[in-house]
Amino acid sequence: MAGARPGTATSIAGKARDKGLTVRGYVSMCFGDPWEGPVDAPAVTECTRALLDAGCDQVSLGDTIGTATPGHVLDLIDRHATDGIGAQSLALHLHDTYGQALANVLAGLLSGVTCFDSSTGGIGGCPFAQSATGNLATEDLVWMLDGLGINTGIDLDAVTRAGAQITRLLGRETQSKAGTAILGAALKAGSL
């Protein structure tokens, strides 16, 4: 926020809200930074507060390089609550570099967060943090949420087929464990 021109976030958020749009701000590298290591929670909550004060309806906390653990997620959301920022104002953007993305979603759910970013096939990454792998796979997220009895309204089979097509077109392997299992079962059953 310190490097932004004064009023930039407020101006952008105001224009979007004037058009009836919901505004979500993003704070990247909330849990770890490839250059500085662990991130100080008060610095994150300060950025979150600034974005909310600028007119954002919600702020997504990014695990840009995928180093967060459930303990980190619980602690950071608790720190936000201590600073008067409720879980309903937060979302999580998770990468699965260390295989913790689904566990981090569960920690977020336990803390009251109900909005999570994901990408089909787990595609994505981070152009300025080469060690970051793809995003949390939508197929894995929906599989877990369905298993918890949380209705997402998402057609898991359709997302799985889309993920398979996208990763094939990109020449990449899917990063989704659930997608791989669903496609394997469909192939074995002859329904694909």
Side-chain angles (χ1 to χ4, degrees):
M1 296 296 289
R5 290 183 308 216
T8 301
T10 303
S11 173
I12 292 169
K15 288 176 184 176
R17 292 181 77 132
D18 287 347
K19 295 187 182 293
L21 300 173
T22 301
V23 180
R24 183 188 299 169
Y26 279 78
V27 180
S28 297
M29 294 184 278
C30 293
F31 302 94
D33 177 306
W35 302 280
E36 297 179 16
V39 175
D40 189 37
V44 176
T45 59
E46 182 180 323
C47 287
T48 301
R49 172 59 61 206
L51 287 169
L52 291 170
D53 289 348
C56 290
D57 298 291
Q58 187 178 64
V59 175
S60 183
L61 306 176
D63 183 21
T64 311
I65 60 173
T67 59
T69 66
H72 295 132
V73 172
L74 292 168
D75 288 345
L76 188 57
I77 294 169
D78 184 58
R79 176 58 191 230
H80 278 78
T82 299
D83 288 353
I85 301 169
Q88 74 282 357
S89 297
L90 302 174
L92 288 172
H93 177 94
L94 304 165
H95 288 245
D96 205 29
T97 309
Y98 288 85
Q100 298 294 293
L102 284 176
N104 291 337
V105 167
L106 186 56
L109 285 169
L110 292 171
S111 296
V113 175
T114 59
C115 186
F116 304 92
D117 293 341
S118 65
S119 66
T120 188
I123 60 173
C126 182
F128 54 85
Q130 298 304 316
S131 63
T133 59
N135 295 297
L136 167 61
T138 304
E139 301 90 326
D140 297 346
L141 177 61
V142 173
W143 179 266
M144 185 182 87
L145 294 176
D146 284 351
L148 290 169
I150 298 170
N151 181 7
T152 63
I154 296 171
D155 181 337
L156 182 56
D157 289 330
V159 170
T160 300
R161 288 190 306 276
Q165 184 174 9
I166 290 167
T167 53
R168 187 172 40 253
L169 290 170
L170 292 173
R172 296 175 60 179
E173 295 290 322
T174 183
Q175 298 303 303
S176 171
K177 300 289 189 203
T180 299
I182 292 166
L183 288 173
L187 281 170
K188 187 174 181 179
S191 60
L192 186 67

